[in-house]
């Protein structure tokens, strides 16, 4: 498989490129906004060609697949260009910055007859996959309640464009909340949302303070640091989401999904199953799990998907995901 990379920043060099190479795929070209960075990355990984524009790369290479690793607001255009050129696409999360964009991307995938997957690597964790198997074997019964937590005590990234509304589309909700929201929905089989009550706000990010993920520019902090929401679904289930880049809480960070079902409950990180059996209450944890790198598994499963009939499942789920997110943002 011949692979091209659009955007050669942190996620491309830490996750996509090394795992494509490890999986035996051929990363033949990269494109980046700044050529020096593209050239440095090409040298680092022994990639042959560097391009200044997406159009040039797509026109000059016979690519099977492309990874889109650019800032969020650019995902839609880069994904659609790659699909229109006949490539399968793995686009980093969040899929887009609105439901409308996610839908345009879905339509482009269908038009091109190519797979469009998204970089929700938490889905590919070994513990997540084990829980998914337990849910699929009905160990939890009907899941009627979920909690998705993506909280950092002092975790505004001090690099990149994470605090720039124009390039990222949003803050805590689109950057980290989206991971746990997607994970909860994935484990619940992506039920259709009915009602969303949400709130986003800037409380701490606009004033300088302790930065556990580097120093951020508080004067130019244009995204939300906090997002909270309650979502109800067509199947009667409900979900509570709590996401923050910066909050006065005890733990340094908490990324977790909790599920409550009629036959059992689960807390994902670390994986614990709560049941009632034979007149007693149990908390069960796996005694051993051989952990796989979720980014490596994600790349392998994308490459595998490219070899089969195109799959639009993740692209369809992204539309529902952004429908919820749009409704949270629209309530301010
Ligand atoms: N899966 C995860 O957990 C995870 C982790 C980090 C980042 N991400 C996602 O990956 C994406 C990139 O994040 P990052 O951390 O790599 O950021 P980054 O700032 O390190 O890299 C972004 C790269 O895109 C390049 N770029 C900017 N505008 C461009 C353009 N118009 N054309 C081509 N290249 C352009 C920049 O020069 C930079 O090299 C974001 O969508 C982010 O949400 C996902």
């Amino acid at each position: 498989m011949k692979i091209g990379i659009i955007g050669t920043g942190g996620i491309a060099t830490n996750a996509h490129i090394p795992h494509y190479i490890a999986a035996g795929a051929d990363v033949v070209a990269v494109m980046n906004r700044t050529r020096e960075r593209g050239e440095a990355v090409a040298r680092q990984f022994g990639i042959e060609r560097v391009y200044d524009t997406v159009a040039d790369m797509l026109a000059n290479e016979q690519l099977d697949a492309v990874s889109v690793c650019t800032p969020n607001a650019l995902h839609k255009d880069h994904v659609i260009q790659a699909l229109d050129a006949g490539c399968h696409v793995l686009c980093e999360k969040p899929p887009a910055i609105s439901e409308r964009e996610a839908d345009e991307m879905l339509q482009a995938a269908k038009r091109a007859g190519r797979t469009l997957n998204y970089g929700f690597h938490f889905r590919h964790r070994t513990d997540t996959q084990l829980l998914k198997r337990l849910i699929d074997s009905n160990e939890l019964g009907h899941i009627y309640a979920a909690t998705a937590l993506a909280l950092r005590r002092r975790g505004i990234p001090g690099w990149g464009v994470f605090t720039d509304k124009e390039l990222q589309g949003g803050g805590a909700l689109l950057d980290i909340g989206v991971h746990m929201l997607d994970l909860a929905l994935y484990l619940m089989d992506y039920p259709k949302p009915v009602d969303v009550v949400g709130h986003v706000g800037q409380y701490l990010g606009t004033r300088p303070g302790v930065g556990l993920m580097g120093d951020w520019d508080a004067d130019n902090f244009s995204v939300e640091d906090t997002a909270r929401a309650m979502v109800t679904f067509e199947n009667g289930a409900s979900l509570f989401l709590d996401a923050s880049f910066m909050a006065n809480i005890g733990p340094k960070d908490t990324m977790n999904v909790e599920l409550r079902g009629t036959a059992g409950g689960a807390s994902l990180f670390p994986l614990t199953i709560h049941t009632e059996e034979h007149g007693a209450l149990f908390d069960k944890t796996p005694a051993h799990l051989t952990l796989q790198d979720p980014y490596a598994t994600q790349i392998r499963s994308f490459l595998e998907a490219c070899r089969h009939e195109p799959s639009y499942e993740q692209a369809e789920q992204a539309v529902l995901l952004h429908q919820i997110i749009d409704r949270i943002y629209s309530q301010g």
Side-chain angles (χ1 to χ4, degrees), residues 61-94:
E61 301 285 339
Q62 297 294 312
L63 300 172
D64 298 297
V66 161
S67 269
V68 172
C69 301
T70 44
N72 304 341
L74 306 172
H75 288 181
K76 185 203 80 171
D77 283 352
H78 290 159
V79 164
I80 293 177
Q81 274 183 277
L83 289 167
D84 285 350
C87 301
H88 300 285
V89 179
L90 174 59
C91 172
E92 260 310 326
K93 52 55 61 174

CSV table of all heavy atoms in Angstrom, one decimal, residues 61-94:
chain,number,residue,atom,x,y,z
A,61,GLU,N,1.3,11.4,-7.2
A,61,GLU,CA,1.5,10.1,-6.6
A,61,GLU,C,0.3,9.2,-6.9
A,61,GLU,O,-0.8,9.6,-7.1
A,61,GLU,CB,1.6,10.3,-5.1
A,61,GLU,CG,2.8,11.2,-4.7
A,61,GLU,CD,4.1,10.6,-4.8
A,61,GLU,OE1,4.2,9.3,-4.9
A,61,GLU,OE2,5.1,11.3,-4.9
A,62,GLN,N,0.6,7.9,-7.0
A,62,GLN,CA,-0.5,6.9,-7.1
A,62,GLN,C,-0.7,6.4,-5.7
A,62,GLN,O,-0.3,5.3,-5.3
A,62,GLN,CB,0.0,5.8,-8.0
A,62,GLN,CG,0.2,6.2,-9.4
A,62,GLN,CD,-1.1,6.7,-10.1
A,62,GLN,OE1,-2.1,6.0,-10.1
A,62,GLN,NE2,-1.0,7.8,-10.8
A,63,LEU,N,-1.4,7.1,-4.9
A,63,LEU,CA,-1.6,6.7,-3.5
A,63,LEU,C,-2.8,5.8,-3.3
A,63,LEU,O,-3.8,6.0,-3.9
A,63,LEU,CB,-1.7,8.0,-2.6
A,63,LEU,CG,-0.6,9.0,-2.6
A,63,LEU,CD1,-1.0,10.2,-1.8
A,63,LEU,CD2,0.7,8.3,-2.0
A,64,ASP,N,-2.7,4.8,-2.4
A,64,ASP,CA,-3.8,4.0,-2.0
A,64,ASP,C,-4.6,4.7,-0.9
A,64,ASP,O,-5.8,4.6,-0.8
A,64,ASP,CB,-3.4,2.6,-1.6
A,64,ASP,CG,-2.7,1.9,-2.7
A,64,ASP,OD1,-3.3,1.6,-3.7
A,64,ASP,OD2,-1.5,1.6,-2.6
A,65,ALA,N,-3.8,5.3,0.0
A,65,ALA,CA,-4.4,5.8,1.2
A,65,ALA,C,-3.7,7.1,1.7
A,65,ALA,O,-2.5,7.2,1.5
A,65,ALA,CB,-4.5,4.8,2.3
A,66,VAL,N,-4.4,7.9,2.5
A,66,VAL,CA,-3.8,9.1,3.0
A,66,VAL,C,-4.2,9.3,4.4
A,66,VAL,O,-5.4,9.0,4.8
A,66,VAL,CB,-4.4,10.3,2.1
A,66,VAL,CG1,-4.2,11.6,2.9
A,66,VAL,CG2,-3.7,10.4,0.8
A,67,SER,N,-3.3,9.8,5.3
A,67,SER,CA,-3.6,10.2,6.6
A,67,SER,C,-3.7,11.7,6.6
A,67,SER,O,-2.8,12.4,6.1
A,67,SER,CB,-2.5,9.7,7.6
A,67,SER,OG,-2.8,8.5,8.2
A,68,VAL,N,-4.8,12.2,7.2
A,68,VAL,CA,-5.0,13.7,7.4
A,68,VAL,C,-4.7,14.0,8.8
A,68,VAL,O,-5.4,13.6,9.7
A,68,VAL,CB,-6.4,14.1,7.0
A,68,VAL,CG1,-6.6,15.6,7.3
A,68,VAL,CG2,-6.6,13.9,5.5
A,69,CYS,N,-3.6,14.7,9.1
A,69,CYS,CA,-3.1,15.0,10.4
A,69,CYS,C,-2.9,16.5,10.6
A,69,CYS,O,-1.9,17.0,11.1
A,69,CYS,CB,-1.8,14.3,10.7
A,69,CYS,SG,-1.9,12.5,10.5
A,70,THR,N,-3.8,17.3,10.0
A,70,THR,CA,-3.7,18.8,10.1
A,70,THR,C,-4.7,19.3,11.2
A,70,THR,O,-5.5,18.5,11.7
A,70,THR,CB,-4.1,19.4,8.7
A,70,THR,OG1,-5.3,18.7,8.2
A,70,THR,CG2,-3.0,19.2,7.7
A,71,PRO,N,-4.6,20.6,11.5
A,71,PRO,CA,-5.5,21.2,12.5
A,71,PRO,C,-7.0,20.9,12.0
A,71,PRO,O,-7.3,20.8,10.8
A,71,PRO,CB,-5.2,22.7,12.5
A,71,PRO,CG,-3.7,22.7,12.1
A,71,PRO,CD,-3.5,21.6,11.1
A,72,ASN,N,-7.9,20.8,13.0
A,72,ASN,CA,-9.2,20.4,12.8
A,72,ASN,C,-10.0,21.1,11.7
A,72,ASN,O,-10.8,20.5,11.0
A,72,ASN,CB,-10.0,20.6,14.1
A,72,ASN,CG,-9.4,19.9,15.3
A,72,ASN,OD1,-8.6,19.0,15.1
A,72,ASN,ND2,-9.8,20.2,16.5
A,73,ALA,N,-9.8,22.4,11.6
A,73,ALA,CA,-10.6,23.2,10.7
A,73,ALA,C,-10.2,22.9,9.2
A,73,ALA,O,-11.0,23.2,8.3
A,73,ALA,CB,-10.5,24.7,11.0
A,74,LEU,N,-9.1,22.2,9.1
A,74,LEU,CA,-8.7,21.8,7.7
A,74,LEU,C,-9.0,20.4,7.3
A,74,LEU,O,-8.9,20.0,6.1
A,74,LEU,CB,-7.1,22.0,7.6
A,74,LEU,CG,-6.6,23.4,8.1
A,74,LEU,CD1,-5.1,23.3,8.1
A,74,LEU,CD2,-7.1,24.4,7.1
A,75,HIS,N,-9.5,19.6,8.3
A,75,HIS,CA,-9.8,18.2,8.0
A,75,HIS,C,-10.7,18.0,6.8
A,75,HIS,O,-10.5,17.2,5.9
A,75,HIS,CB,-10.5,17.5,9.2
A,75,HIS,CG,-9.5,17.3,10.3
A,75,HIS,ND1,-9.8,16.7,11.5
A,75,HIS,CD2,-8.2,17.6,10.5
A,75,HIS,CE1,-8.8,16.6,12.3
A,75,HIS,NE2,-7.8,17.2,11.7
A,76,LYS,N,-11.8,18.8,6.8
A,76,LYS,CA,-12.9,18.5,5.8
A,76,LYS,C,-12.3,18.7,4.4
A,76,LYS,O,-12.4,17.8,3.5
A,76,LYS,CB,-14.0,19.5,5.9
A,76,LYS,CG,-15.1,19.2,5.0
A,76,LYS,CD,-16.0,20.4,4.7
A,76,LYS,CE,-15.4,21.4,3.7
A,76,LYS,NZ,-16.3,22.4,3.3
A,77,ASP,N,-11.6,19.8,4.1
A,77,ASP,CA,-11.1,20.0,2.7
A,77,ASP,C,-10.0,19.0,2.4
A,77,ASP,O,-10.0,18.5,1.3
A,77,ASP,CB,-10.5,21.4,2.6
A,77,ASP,CG,-11.6,22.5,2.5
A,77,ASP,OD1,-12.7,22.1,2.4
A,77,ASP,OD2,-11.2,23.7,2.6
A,78,HIS,N,-9.1,18.7,3.3
A,78,HIS,CA,-8.1,17.7,3.0
A,78,HIS,C,-8.6,16.3,2.8
A,78,HIS,O,-8.2,15.6,1.9
A,78,HIS,CB,-7.0,17.7,4.2
A,78,HIS,CG,-6.2,19.0,4.2
A,78,HIS,ND1,-5.5,19.4,5.3
A,78,HIS,CD2,-6.0,19.9,3.2
A,78,HIS,CE1,-4.9,20.6,5.0
A,78,HIS,NE2,-5.2,20.9,3.8
A,79,VAL,N,-9.6,15.9,3.6
A,79,VAL,CA,-10.2,14.6,3.5
A,79,VAL,C,-11.0,14.5,2.1
A,79,VAL,O,-10.8,13.5,1.4
A,79,VAL,CB,-11.2,14.3,4.6
A,79,VAL,CG1,-12.2,13.2,4.3
A,79,VAL,CG2,-10.5,14.1,5.9
A,80,ILE,N,-11.7,15.5,1.8
A,80,ILE,CA,-12.5,15.5,0.5
A,80,ILE,C,-11.6,15.5,-0.7
A,80,ILE,O,-11.8,14.7,-1.6
A,80,ILE,CB,-13.6,16.6,0.5
A,80,ILE,CG1,-14.6,16.3,1.6
A,80,ILE,CG2,-14.2,16.7,-0.9
A,80,ILE,CD1,-15.7,17.4,1.7
A,81,GLN,N,-10.5,16.2,-0.6
A,81,GLN,CA,-9.6,16.2,-1.8
A,81,GLN,C,-9.0,14.8,-1.9
A,81,GLN,O,-8.8,14.3,-3.1
A,81,GLN,CB,-8.4,17.2,-1.5
A,81,GLN,CG,-8.6,18.6,-1.9
A,81,GLN,CD,-7.4,19.5,-1.6
A,81,GLN,OE1,-7.2,20.0,-0.5
A,81,GLN,NE2,-6.6,19.7,-2.6
A,82,ALA,N,-8.6,14.2,-0.8
A,82,ALA,CA,-8.0,12.9,-0.9
A,82,ALA,C,-9.0,11.8,-1.4
A,82,ALA,O,-8.7,10.9,-2.2
A,82,ALA,CB,-7.4,12.5,0.5
A,83,LEU,N,-10.2,11.9,-0.9
A,83,LEU,CA,-11.3,10.9,-1.4
A,83,LEU,C,-11.5,11.1,-2.8
A,83,LEU,O,-11.6,10.2,-3.6
A,83,LEU,CB,-12.6,11.1,-0.6
A,83,LEU,CG,-12.5,10.7,0.9
A,83,LEU,CD1,-13.8,11.2,1.6
A,83,LEU,CD2,-12.5,9.2,1.0
A,84,ASP,N,-11.7,12.4,-3.3
A,84,ASP,CA,-11.9,12.7,-4.7
A,84,ASP,C,-10.8,12.2,-5.6
A,84,ASP,O,-11.0,11.9,-6.8
A,84,ASP,CB,-12.1,14.2,-4.9
A,84,ASP,CG,-13.5,14.7,-4.4
A,84,ASP,OD1,-14.3,13.8,-4.0
A,84,ASP,OD2,-13.7,15.9,-4.3
A,85,ALA,N,-9.6,12.0,-5.0
A,85,ALA,CA,-8.5,11.5,-5.8
A,85,ALA,C,-8.4,10.0,-5.7
A,85,ALA,O,-7.5,9.4,-6.2
A,85,ALA,CB,-7.2,12.1,-5.3
A,86,GLY,N,-9.4,9.4,-5.1
A,86,GLY,CA,-9.5,7.9,-5.1
A,86,GLY,C,-8.8,7.2,-3.9
A,86,GLY,O,-8.6,6.0,-4.0
A,87,CYS,N,-8.4,8.0,-2.9
A,87,CYS,CA,-7.7,7.4,-1.8
A,87,CYS,C,-8.6,7.1,-0.7
A,87,CYS,O,-9.6,7.7,-0.4
A,87,CYS,CB,-6.7,8.4,-1.2
A,87,CYS,SG,-5.5,9.0,-2.4
A,88,HIS,N,-8.3,6.0,0.1
A,88,HIS,CA,-8.9,5.7,1.4
A,88,HIS,C,-8.3,6.7,2.3
A,88,HIS,O,-7.1,7.1,2.1
A,88,HIS,CB,-8.6,4.3,1.9
A,88,HIS,CG,-9.1,3.2,0.9
A,88,HIS,ND1,-10.5,2.9,0.8
A,88,HIS,CD2,-8.5,2.5,0.0
A,88,HIS,CE1,-10.6,2.0,-0.1
A,88,HIS,NE2,-9.4,1.7,-0.6
A,89,VAL,N,-9.1,7.1,3.4
A,89,VAL,CA,-8.6,8.2,4.3
A,89,VAL,C,-8.7,7.8,5.7
A,89,VAL,O,-9.8,7.3,6.2
A,89,VAL,CB,-9.3,9.5,4.0
A,89,VAL,CG1,-8.8,10.6,4.9
A,89,VAL,CG2,-9.1,10.0,2.6
A,90,LEU,N,-7.6,8.0,6.5
A,90,LEU,CA,-7.7,8.0,7.9
A,90,LEU,C,-7.4,9.4,8.4
A,90,LEU,O,-6.3,10.0,8.2
A,90,LEU,CB,-6.6,7.0,8.5
A,90,LEU,CG,-6.4,7.0,10.0
A,90,LEU,CD1,-7.7,6.6,10.7
A,90,LEU,CD2,-5.3,6.1,10.4
A,91,CYS,N,-8.5,10.0,8.9
A,91,CYS,CA,-8.4,11.4,9.4
A,91,CYS,C,-8.3,11.5,10.9
A,91,CYS,O,-9.1,10.8,11.6
A,91,CYS,CB,-9.6,12.2,8.9
A,91,CYS,SG,-9.7,13.9,9.5
A,92,GLU,N,-7.5,12.3,11.4
A,92,GLU,CA,-7.4,12.5,12.9
A,92,GLU,C,-8.7,13.0,13.5
A,92,GLU,O,-9.5,13.6,12.8
A,92,GLU,CB,-6.2,13.4,13.2
A,92,GLU,CG,-5.0,12.6,13.6
A,92,GLU,CD,-5.2,11.5,14.7
A,92,GLU,OE1,-6.1,11.7,15.6
A,92,GLU,OE2,-4.6,10.5,14.7
A,93,LYS,N,-8.8,12.8,14.7
A,93,LYS,CA,-10.0,13.3,15.4
A,93,LYS,C,-9.8,14.8,15.8
A,93,LYS,O,-8.6,15.2,15.9
A,93,LYS,CB,-10.3,12.5,16.7
A,93,LYS,CG,-9.2,12.3,17.7
A,93,LYS,CD,-8.3,13.4,18.3
A,93,LYS,CE,-9.0,14.4,19.1
A,93,LYS,NZ,-8.0,15.4,19.7
A,94,PRO,N,-10.8,15.5,16.0
A,94,PRO,CA,-12.2,15.2,15.7
A,94,PRO,C,-12.4,15.2,14.2
A,94,PRO,O,-11.7,15.8,13.5
A,94,PRO,CB,-13.0,16.4,16.3
A,94,PRO,CG,-12.0,17.6,16.2
A,94,PRO,CD,-10.6,17.0,16.4
